[in-house]
Amino acid sequence: MVLPAHAQGLAAPPAMPDQSAQATTMTLVQALQAARNNLDISLARRALSAAQGDIAAADHAPAPVLITKASQMDLQRGIGGGNLFRDKRIDKSVGLDWTWERGNKRELRTQAAQSNAAAAQADIEDMLVQQQQATAFAYFDLLAAQERIAQVAEISRSATQLANTANRRVQAGDLAAQDAARIEIEAQRASTDLLSAQLDRQRAALVLAQLTGFTGAGTLVVQPDWPTAVKANAGDAGIVYLFVEGRPDVRAAQQRVEAARAALDVASAQKKADVTVGASFDHFPGTSTRQLELRLQMPLYGLLGGYNFQGEIARAQAQLDQAQDILDKTRRNAAAELQRLQQDRLGAGARATSYENTILPRARKVAEMAELAYSKGAMSLTELIDARRTLRTILLEDLAARTEHAKATQAWQLRQDQRQP
């Protein structure tokens, strides 16, 4: 099983204990790069190609129309003999008609299509951020699952050793059978936790494989690319608003407003009726073989008819108003999301730092003291089990805090990286 072409170059460490095949290591950079070419990005690129095709469809003038006809055929007296094209009394003509679009319709159509294409391009950029963010989340979920397996496995080994020791002490008459049974229950519980952690790892690997296009989820391993916690500073409160206008989702909404405005101009331009001009060369034996016909056609909108495209204009105006409302909503959501991402990053960083520097070291120390005290008979079994459970809980909470901080940091960084200067 290998990575797709866009995610090659991954190192292959030794196989994991629960895998028969050789594992494949993926870094965070490789995962984010692979996410740039997944199926969701491909769909967004197809939408851009379609929008670019609309530009070509809009930016052209009406084609000339070839017109041929045969008239003045006298069914009562006949059309005479001789050659059909030269002698028979049939008025034959060939000509061209061409429509002159007034009101700048072609330029306005093209402008609307170009704005929609620009919005589709911004949609790709926004989809890139979304897919890379989802990939980063899946990456850190898998990394956390890997570390949880290591932690739970160590707890399981320690519990198994204690259970074995307890059984020997029971046989030697040094420990009550009830205490040994409690220790055995803790060992079985730790073994069950290890199985659950392995299943969580498989699920996390499947999610990451789907987002990156990797075909070997069972052999996928990620490197411990944990970010460093940062502290808040005085200027962080207002910096988020500087990024709003540069976000691709805001730029896409702006382009759709421009497209709707151009569509409204196109609807209004229909009040200026297009003019069709034409000319034909006629051939009528017996009268003249060199006759010329000139034509001019123009619909009389708003003059003889009561309708002057009021419906099209009203619809286009409503769509422009809707696009403007969507832009305003997108701006507000973008500002709120950036502020939330920043707060999540700083809050999660503080929590992860607290666990790393204070809570976890103290929990380890308490557990070590409990082990020592129990070995010397200065602590009861219940107190030892409580100390071990506390350490297990703190270890998992520390891992959850680091995972939450990693996700928040990566989400904030991706939104910063995608903004325009």
Side-chain angles (χ1 to χ4, degrees), residues 91-151:
D91 186 3
K92 301 172 286 295
S93 70
V94 59
L96 290 174
D97 281 357
W98 176 76
T99 300
W100 170 36
E101 286 189 305
R102 301 172 64 223
N104 210 27
K105 295 184 181 69
R106 176 180 176 182
E107 289 77 5
L108 293 173
R109 285 197 312 268
T110 304
Q111 180 182 342
Q114 290 172 339
S115 296
N116 282 324
Q121 178 63 52
D123 286 340
I124 293 178
E125 298 174 28
D126 191 51
M127 182 60 69
L128 282 171
V129 175
Q130 294 179 20
Q131 292 303 304
Q132 287 186 315
Q133 188 178 87
T135 300
F137 286 6
Y139 183 95
F140 289 118
D141 282 338
L142 178 55
L143 179 55
Q146 291 176 185
E147 294 201 6
R148 182 187 173 200
I149 288 177
Q151 293 175 354

Side-chain angles (χ1 to χ4, degrees), residues 349-395:
R351 184 167 180 262
T353 301
S354 178
Y355 269 92
E356 180 182 3
N357 297 336
T358 305
I359 301 176
L360 183 57
R362 289 181 179 178
R364 290 186 185 277
K365 185 176 181 180
V366 169
E368 292 172 358
M369 294 172 62
E371 296 283 350
L372 179 61
Y374 179 76
S375 66
K376 294 183 178 182
M379 178 176 285
S380 67
L381 176 61
T382 300
E383 292 174 320
L384 174 62
I385 292 177
D386 287 342
R388 286 192 168 195
R389 287 177 177 176
T390 299
L391 177 59
R392 173 186 175 278
T393 301
I394 296 301
L395 285 171

Side-chain angles (χ1 to χ4, degrees), residues 257-291:
V257 169
E258 295 302 321
R261 185 173 288 113
L264 175 59
D265 292 339
V266 171
S268 300
Q270 293 183 83
K271 292 181 178 180
K272 292 186 177 181
D274 298 339
V275 176
T276 300
V277 295
S280 296
F281 179 76
D282 287 17
H283 179 277
F284 194 4
T287 300
S288 174
T289 58
R290 294 184 181 88
Q291 294 179 330

